[in-house]
Amino acid sequence: GGGELAIDRSGFTNNSAPNGGAVFGGGVVRISSSVLTGNAATGPGGGISVDAGATLTLIDSTVSGNQARNGGGVYATRRSTGTVRGSTISGN
C-alpha cells in the first residue's frame, strides 16, 4: 500500500515471496547501505518490487543474484519513480 518504508544497514538473503522476494512496498521506499542477494519471487521483483506510484530510493546498496519472472533485481511499474546512487545491481 502506501506509507513509508526505510531500511538501513540490513541484509536480506535467500528469501522468497510472490512479489518482492526480499522487499515489497508502496508509497515511499528507501533502502540504504544494505545487501539483497539470493532472493526469489514467483512474480515481479526478486530483490525489490514497488507498487504503482511508489518512490524507490536505493543508496550505497547491492542487489545481486536475485530471480523473478520480471525484474530479477528490481521491479517498478511505469508510474513509479526512483533514484539509484552508489549501488550495484548485477547478476539478477
Side-chain angles (χ1 to χ4, degrees), residues 12 15 17-25 29 31 34-50 56-58 61-77 84 87-92:
F12 295 86
N15 298 288
N19 298 315
V23 175
F24 177 71
V29 178
I31 302 171
S34 296
V35 176
L36 296 83
T37 185
N39 302 289
T42 54
I48 304 165
S49 182
V50 293
L56 172 65
T57 303
L58 185 65
S61 297
T62 299
V63 180
S64 66
N66 301 289
Q67 298 180 3
R69 180 181 300 176
N70 298 339
V74 178
Y75 180 84
T77 66
V84 178
S87 297
T88 300
I89 302 173
S90 69
N92 298 288

Side-chain angles (χ1 to χ4, degrees), residues 3 5-6 8 12 17 25 28 32 34 37 42 55 59 71 75 79 82 90-91:
L5 172 62
D8 186 39
F12 295 86
V28 176
S32 60
S34 296
T37 185
T42 54
T55 299
I59 300 171
Y75 180 84
R79 294 180 286 158
S90 69

